[in-house]
Amino acid sequence: MKRYGNLYPQIYDFSNLELSYKKARRCKRFRAEVLRFTERKEENLIDIQNHLIWKSYRPGEYRKFTVTEPKERQIMALPFRDRVMQHAVNNIIEPLFDKSFIYHTYACRKDKGAHKASDALTGWLYEYHAAGKRAYCLKADISKYFQSIHHGTLKWIIRKRIKCPDTLWILDMIIDNSECDTGRGIPVGNLSSQLFANIYLSELDRFVKHKLRIHHYMRYMDDFIILSDDKQALHGVLSEIHDFLEDELHLKLNPKTDIFPVKNGVDFVGYRHYHSHKKVRKSSIKRMNKRVKQFKEGKMPRERFIATLVSWLGHITHADTWHLREKTLNKIGEF
């Protein structure tokens, strides 16, 4: 495996910092902290550059808040200055790691995403149906994934690809700046955390593809599925994955991990998949009905509701939902 050096000057290069500023402000340019940074943009970018050159950079304090949907999570957001810096790091190192990822890992990657994963899964299900095979699915995810990532193991994985000491210094600082003293966990909300999470489970990807030689394996962040026409073989695969995760990555599978016939539908990346069609999750429909009710009762501003509705309609359009869309729009049209 090739290891990369002399990356650090590319990180603090001014053109890279300017690009990072543009990425960090995307969809946020009118927020107060972004406007303050923009007023003295060049001076602020040079300040970041100097702190990186002299290795005097220290991260700011996190702003913490909780989101409750689709499930409750604590989000940790860094100041804008630090988000610019993380973009600068990601711009340089992400392409190096991305080229080592397997094809069928879909989260937080260019030209991938949930819809590409959904289409690929539907194609696999159709293959089994067309061949007249009875297929089974192993569906699993990692229990409390972001909170469980082991810092030492993550640093070791990164060092298999990067040998530049200064780049390793800034990456170690980002990893250790998680406000925990257990040596575990990366903050949900950090740009770098998305990349670190993919890097960490790329070890599982390679184990499944190269050691276990599984063909129909797909991962979206910490959710993954395996298809096979041999149910007993899937139980053996599950046992090996369980041991690998615990022994090598210090992770545990969610107790809800299951093996089931695909004829029941495969719930993945927001849709329930069948060989001929896909449906929207019932939980998604319930959340939208709740939003409609809140708007109807005057508990949600019109602008926010419209944004939520447009986003949801865009999501369900990728499934077989003509009647659902008509039903929802007719509800809204009643008031």
Side-chain angles (χ1 to χ4, degrees), residues 125-138:
L125 294 174
Y126 181 79
E127 285 178 21
Y128 278 100
H129 175 76
K133 295 180 179 179
R134 185 175 184 181
Y136 298 88
C137 176
L138 162 57

Side-chain angles (χ1 to χ4, degrees), residues 20-178:
S20 303
Y21 156 77
K22 292 176 181 178
K23 287 184 175 181
R25 75 170 185 177
R26 194 171 293 160
C27 301
K28 302 178 179 70
R29 64 171 63 196
F30 297 114
R31 293 187 180 180
E33 63 170 339
V34 180
L35 290 172
R36 285 195 299 270
F37 190 97
T38 303
E39 284 178 3
R40 303 167 65 182
K41 185 188 76 172
E42 289 193 7
E43 183 178 335
N44 285 323
L45 292 179
I46 290 171
D47 181 67
I48 294 174
Q49 184 182 52
N50 286 333
H51 278 296
L52 289 174
I53 290 172
W54 296 105
K55 297 175 73 173
S56 58
Y57 171 83
R58 296 295 180 272
E61 293 186 8
Y62 285 104
R63 177 174 61 89
K64 301 175 185 177
F65 58 96
T66 301
V67 297
T68 56
E69 292 185 1
K71 60 182 178 182
E72 185 170 312
R73 293 176 297 166
Q74 184 183 63
I75 306 298
M76 298 172 65
L78 282 167
F80 184 72
R81 164 184 177 269
D82 299 284
R83 298 202 296 275
V84 172
M85 187 281 298
Q86 290 203 4
H87 272 286
V89 174
N90 268 36
N91 288 345
I92 304 306
I93 71 166
E94 185 173 21
L96 308 181
F97 283 98
D98 189 81
K99 66 177 65 175
S100 70
F101 294 160
I102 66 167
Y103 182 85
H104 289 294
T105 179
Y106 287 92
C108 306
R109 297 180 68 194
K110 185 178 179 181
D111 299 324
K112 296 291 184 178
H115 296 142
K116 290 285 182 70
S118 176
D119 291 343
L121 175 55
T122 302
W124 289 355
L125 294 174
Y126 181 79
E127 285 178 21
Y128 278 100
H129 175 76
K133 295 180 179 179
R134 185 175 184 181
Y136 298 88
C137 176
L138 162 57
K139 183 175 183 293
D141 65 86
I142 309 300
S143 178
K144 299 178 180 178
Y145 178 49
F146 277 75
Q147 302 97 305
S148 302
I149 289 177
H150 187 267
H151 291 184
T153 304
L154 175 58
K155 292 176 183 179
W156 170 73
I157 295 170
I158 288 172
R159 280 160 171 77
K160 292 200 292 182
R161 176 73 46 179
I162 293 177
K163 62 182 179 181
C164 173
D166 293 336
T167 301
L168 292 172
W169 167 77
I170 193 66
L171 290 172
D172 287 350
M173 180 179 292
I174 294 171
I175 293 168
D176 292 333
N177 183 45
S178 57

Side-chain angles (χ1 to χ4, degrees), residues 211-333:
K211 179 72 182 294
L212 302 183
R213 297 186 175 278
I214 302 298
H215 181 59
H216 289 127
Y217 165 81
M218 177 186 299
R219 179 172 66 83
Y220 189 93
M221 197 50 74
D222 65 315
D223 294 303
F224 61 91
I225 58 171
I226 296 173
L227 301 184
S228 174
D229 58 358
D230 188 334
K231 187 177 181 180
Q232 287 306 116
L234 281 181
H235 282 285
V237 167
L238 175 59
S239 177
E240 294 203 58
I241 288 175
H242 175 276
D243 292 344
F244 176 83
L245 288 171
E246 288 206 346
D247 296 343
E248 302 296 328
L249 299 181
H250 313 290
L251 299 173
K252 293 184 180 295
L253 287 171
N254 191 312
K256 293 181 181 179
T257 295
D258 193 18
I259 296 172
F260 54 88
V262 300
K263 68 178 183 179
N264 298 336
V266 180
D267 192 341
F268 193 61
V269 294
Y271 305 99
R272 179 166 286 274
H273 299 79
Y274 301 86
H275 74 270
S276 58
H277 64 285
K278 52 182 140 175
K279 298 180 179 180
V280 179
R281 282 176 177 163
K282 291 182 179 179
S283 59
S284 175
I285 299 171
K286 287 180 180 178
R287 282 197 300 272
M288 192 62 225
N289 287 336
K290 181 180 177 182
R291 295 289 179 266
V292 171
K293 183 179 178 182
Q294 288 174 335
F295 176 60
K296 201 171 183 179
E297 294 173 350
K299 296 178 180 178
M300 178 180 284
R302 182 178 181 82
E303 295 77 12
R304 183 180 168 195
F305 175 73
I306 291 174
T308 300
L309 175 64
V310 170
S311 175
W312 185 73
L313 289 174
H315 169 69
I316 70 170
T317 300
H318 292 268
D320 298 271
T321 56
W322 188 88
H323 291 291
L324 174 62
R325 280 177 278 159
E326 288 295 304
K327 182 179 177 181
T328 303
L329 292 173
N330 285 337
K331 271 186 189 179
I332 298 169

